[in-house]
Each structure stands twice: as C-alpha cells, then as structure tokens.
Amino acid sequence: MAILNSTACKSSYGRLTYIFNQSAHNTSKTNHRVLACSGTNINMLHTPNGHLSTLQSGAYLEKQFHQSLRRAYNPKRKYQAQSIIISFSNEEFDTSDLNKQATQALQLVQGYVYQHFGDAQSVSCVQCDGDGGKIHVHLLINTVKTNGKTVPTNRFSVYRMRRDFNKYLERNFQLVTGRKWSNSFNKASTRKDAKTITTRSSWEKQLKQTINQVKQEVRNVVDFINCLSTKGIQIKERGKKKQWTYTQIIPDKNGKPKLHRVRAYYQRKDKAGHVLSTRGLGQSYTRQGLENYWRQQLEKEREITPVQSHYGKEVKANDRKDVQTEREELIKIRTLARDAQAAANQRQQRIRLNLQHIQTTEAEERKQRNKSQAGSTNPRRGNQSRSKSISQQHRLTATARRRIQEHQERAKRTHGKDVGPNF
C-alpha cells in the first residue's frame, strides 16, 4: 500500500523549490532529483520535443499559485497549499526499471488527482532519492481554486485520502502496470521489532537513535521532517512557541496499533520562574537545537574542507564567502533564465493571439464596408424612382388642365351655362 503524508504549507514557493530546484539527496539508484512530473490546471515548462521537462522553475509555478490566491475572498489566508507525499512499497514498485515505473506511478497519482482534486491547481513530481530508495511522489495542491473558492480542508484528511487512493489502486493498478495489487494492511501483520519496543522508555531510546542518525544526513528542517515521515515518525507543532512533539504509531504486544508521543523539550515553571519539572527528549531535539547543530556542522566543514577553484588551487578563508555568493548568484541566474524563457514563450503566444484578433477585426471591417457600399447604391435607385413618379404627376396635372380649358372653351362657344373655373 502507498503511504500518504499530508502537511499544510503557508507558502508554496519553499516546497516547489525544494522539489524541483535541489540536487538528488541519495544517488545510490539515480543522480536525477526528478524522474517524471506533471500538473493540472497549471502551465509547465516543456522540452523542444514537446514533452514535459523534469527541470521546472519553482518560482514560475509559484506565481501561478499566487494568481489563484489573489482571486480568493481572503487573499491573506494562512495556508496556501497542501503538500502530500505518496510513497510506494517495494512490492508495488521494486525500482528495477526506474523510468518505466516512475511513469506508471505518475499515471496512477494523476488519475487519482483528476478524480478527487480536478477542480484545483496541482503539481506532481516522482522521485527516488530517499534514504529508503523507494519511489515516492510529491503532490502539491493549491488550496484556492482557479475561480477563487477554497478547497474544503476535510478533503485533505489522511484517512480519507488513503481510503480513496486504495480504492483507486484496486480498480486501476493492474490496468496501468499489468500486475495485481494487494492491500498489505488488510493482512494481519505485525512489525518485526514490535517485541523490542515494549515500553515507552525503550521507544524513546530508539526514537533518539533515529533522530541522531537522520540529523547527520540532512542540513535543514524541511529535509529532516520529510526523512522522519518516511520512517513513520511525524512532528507536530503546538502552542504559540511552536514546540515540537514527536509521534509514531507502533503495534503493541497484541498487534494493535498504538500511538506514542513525546515532547521534544518542556519545562514546567511556577510564577517566580523556578523549574518544577522537565519533560521530553532534550534541548538538542528541539527545532532550535537542531538548527544550532547544523550551523556548527556547516562551520566545521568550512574550516576543514578547502574550497577548490576552477584551476584546482585552494581558495583562502577570506574568499570563501565570495565563492558562496558566486554560487548563489549562478543559481539565481539560472532561475531567472528559466523564468525569462517562460515569459518569452508567453509573449510569443500573446503576439499570435493579437495577430489572430487583428485579422478577425479586419475581416469584420471589410464586411461592414461592403454592406455600407451596398446601402449607398440603394438610395440612388430610390431617388430615381421617386423623381420618375413626380414627373408623371406633373404630366397628369398638365393634361388635366388642358382638358378643363378645352371644356370651358367648348362651353363658351356653345353658350352653355356650366362653365368651369378659370385656371
């Protein structure tokens, strides 16, 4: 079964750049960060052959997410996107053929998205650079639809998405991969290490070992949280100070799932400020303690490892900052170049649309001009007919006058009584 992890994000920029604009974390199976990607209701960069490119710009995608946010009733809403991680087991995809299986995993996830989140913007990205070496998909969904309405939060429930995704896999997994799919959670299975984790204290010891191992492999909070989530450990923030709580579901002796939780560090104090009790794993397991640890490790690496220049010579300690700034500037230039390419493509498309619009307006003006010319000839014909009728009336009145005058002259000659009027 594919495991889902759902996290609300206040900004989509950090998650998009993390997904697309970083190097591979684990190169044991592939050197590529992104194996395949796709999206719904959003424009993405393409290769010259017309295929979707695996090198996407997080800034370009974030601008489109932000355009939908502007149409919302409350543009200053707290959460902008929902980050979902779908990890497939080795039974579903054994990573023997990464390109083929990545395409199949993307097809399954996109089908599920079209069915349940087709009215919102989303981006899907297939990766295989985790510590476990499993194929997993990063799915980022915009919580604001293109029409300005928001996606209900209950649709992002892990229980609901897992149930719907399992139903979708039952119907479509064999059609896509040609293999039968079986839900491993339907089988009565227990963890192999369930006997070793019997008490809370032993679980906390193993949790500390896992955290100590993971924090040496990563260099920031986002990677730390994602690595722990792949191992079944979740981190929740609580209170105004955003204190961490580690949670994990582990079967007990009877095989029933049980939720274990422990705070990173907490002190209970009285009004005078005296410490009454201390709980948790320790200060080194808090967010601040982990950030201090990574900062110290980075400083040690800078002191120990010499920075190599393009000519193979060692760079002095004073010039290391310049080298780092040059690298950051190169990254910025690359992102700007990608954004400029996307803007140029949009500009060309806009020019094509304007040309089409000009051609249609010119055709309409020609039609109107022809109609006006046809209308101008018709009044001439009417004037000619009108002049003909007036001349006929003059002729008729003239003949009538002649007849009356002849009648009067005839009456005078015959000395008749009925003499008509003298015109």
Side-chain angles (χ1 to χ4, degrees):
M1 172 197 172
I3 299 173
L4 286 90
N5 178 25
S6 180
T7 307
C9 301
K10 295 182 180 179
S11 175
S12 58
Y13 178 78
R15 190 54 56 94
L16 286 169
T17 53
Y18 167 78
I19 294 172
F20 290 105
N21 304 129
Q22 286 192 2
S23 58
H25 296 169
N26 185 5
T27 58
S28 60
K29 292 191 176 181
T30 178
N31 294 327
H32 297 284
R33 172 68 169 164
V34 179
L35 299 177
C37 63
S38 183
T40 56
N41 302 322
I42 194 168
N43 297 325
M44 302 184 73
L45 302 179
H46 290 70
T47 59
N49 297 330
H51 302 288
L52 276 173
S53 174
T54 56
L55 300 176
Q56 298 290 330
S57 173
Y60 175 58
L61 298 173
E62 196 274 339
K63 287 180 182 178
Q64 301 181 58
F65 271 51
H66 195 66
Q67 288 176 359
S68 298
L69 182 64
R70 289 178 180 175
R71 302 189 188 97
Y73 178 75
N74 180 18
K76 297 181 181 180
R77 54 186 285 111
K78 188 175 181 181
Y79 296 105
Q80 183 185 358
Q82 192 77 14
S83 175
I84 300 165
I85 301 176
I86 303 173
S87 178
F88 293 91
S89 64
N90 293 327
E91 296 178 356
E92 293 165 337
F93 295 109
D94 56 0
T95 66
S96 58
D97 188 354
L98 278 179
N99 293 329
K100 180 180 178 181
Q101 293 180 359
T103 305
Q104 293 174 353
L106 182 64
Q107 185 176 354
L108 290 171
V109 173
Q110 281 296 108
Y112 165 76
V113 171
Y114 282 129
Q115 197 173 82
H116 296 277
F117 297 97
D119 54 350
Q121 288 178 318
S122 63
V123 177
S124 304
C125 172
V126 183
Q127 297 178 354
C128 189
D129 60 343
D131 295 333
K134 298 179 181 178
I135 291 180
H136 59 279
V137 181
H138 287 272
L139 174 62
L140 195 69
I141 300 175
N142 195 346
T143 56
V144 180
K145 303 177 186 177
T146 54
N147 58 3
K149 296 182 179 180
T150 58
V151 182
T153 55
N154 60 354
R155 290 171 62 180
F156 297 119
S157 171
V158 175
Y159 175 78
R160 180 176 178 177
M161 288 191 296
R162 188 173 293 168
R163 180 194 61 193
D164 295 339
F165 193 64
N166 283 339
K167 290 181 180 179
Y168 184 83
L169 291 179
E170 288 176 357
R171 295 190 301 267
N172 300 284
F173 187 84
Q174 189 171 2
L175 296 174
V176 174
T177 63
R179 296 180 286 108
K180 290 184 178 180
W181 181 79
S182 61
N183 190 354
S184 59
F185 275 72
N186 292 334
K187 303 175 183 178
S189 60
T190 58
R191 284 174 56 100
K192 295 180 180 180
D193 57 346
K195 296 180 180 179
T196 59
I197 307 176
T198 56
T199 62
R200 183 183 180 86
S201 59
S202 60
W203 171 72
E204 290 181 1
K205 290 180 181 178
Q206 186 169 356
L207 178 64
K208 286 183 178 181
Q209 294 177 0
T210 305
I211 294 173
N212 292 332
Q213 180 182 358
V214 170
K215 75 179 184 181
Q216 295 176 2
E217 299 173 356
V218 299
R219 287 295 180 268
N220 54 56
V221 176
V222 177
D223 296 344
F224 178 74
I225 294 174
N226 291 332
C227 289
L228 286 182
S229 63
T230 58
K231 298 179 182 297
I233 302 170
Q234 306 294 330
I235 296 177
K236 295 183 179 180
E237 293 182 347
R238 54 187 298 172
K240 295 181 180 180
K241 297 182 180 180
K242 303 295 183 181
Q243 296 179 352
W244 279 8
T245 300
Y246 296 90
T247 63
Q248 187 178 12
I249 298 175
I250 299 174
D252 56 7
K253 294 180 180 179
N254 299 324
K256 295 182 179 180
K258 184 178 179 181
L259 177 64
H260 293 264
R261 63 179 67 182
V262 62
R263 291 190 180 187
Y265 183 74
Y266 172 72
Q267 283 186 339
R268 183 167 165 264
K269 300 179 181 180
D270 57 7
K271 295 181 179 179
H274 301 292
V275 178
L276 300 178
S277 62
T278 302
R279 300 176 184 176
L281 301 176
Q283 291 183 352
S284 59
Y285 298 94
T286 61
R287 179 168 187 161
Q288 185 177 2
L290 290 169
E291 289 177 348
N292 292 334
Y293 171 78
W294 292 322
R295 195 179 300 112
Q296 292 174 3
Q297 293 296 320
L298 185 60
E299 291 177 357
K300 290 180 180 178
E301 290 177 358
R302 288 177 179 175
E303 292 176 358
I304 296 172
T305 58
V307 181
Q308 297 292 331
S309 66
H310 296 289
Y311 301 99
K313 298 178 180 179
E314 294 185 1
V315 181
K316 297 180 181 179
N318 296 330
D319 299 333
R320 289 171 185 169
K321 294 182 180 179
D322 297 335
V323 174
Q324 186 176 2
T325 53
E326 288 179 359
R327 291 176 181 174
E328 292 175 355
E329 288 178 357
L330 285 173
I331 294 172
K332 290 180 181 179
I333 290 169
R334 289 174 183 172
T335 54
L336 289 172
R338 291 171 186 167
D339 294 341
Q341 184 65 31
N345 295 334
Q346 287 183 350
R347 202 177 301 110
Q348 291 178 359
Q349 187 175 5
R350 206 177 296 115
I351 291 169
R352 287 194 220 102
L353 293 174
N354 290 334
L355 289 173
Q356 292 178 0
H357 182 67
I358 290 169
Q359 291 174 359
T360 53
T361 52
E362 288 178 353
E364 289 177 358
E365 288 177 358
R366 288 195 210 96
K367 289 182 181 178
Q368 291 179 358
R369 221 178 283 124
N370 295 331
K371 288 181 180 178
S372 62
Q373 291 176 359
S376 62
T377 55
N378 291 331
R380 293 178 183 175
R381 294 175 183 175
N383 293 330
Q384 293 175 0
S385 62
R386 198 178 299 112
S387 62
K388 288 181 181 179
S389 62
I390 292 170
S391 61
Q392 288 177 0
Q393 289 177 4
H394 286 303
R395 284 195 297 273
L396 290 173
T397 53
T399 54
R401 285 177 182 177
R402 284 195 302 272
R403 286 177 185 176
I404 292 170
Q405 288 177 358
E406 290 174 357
H407 179 67
Q408 288 177 354
E409 290 175 355
R410 220 181 288 119
K412 286 180 182 180
R413 286 195 297 272
T414 56
H415 303 283
K417 296 180 180 179
D418 299 330
V419 179
N422 188 5
F423 288 100

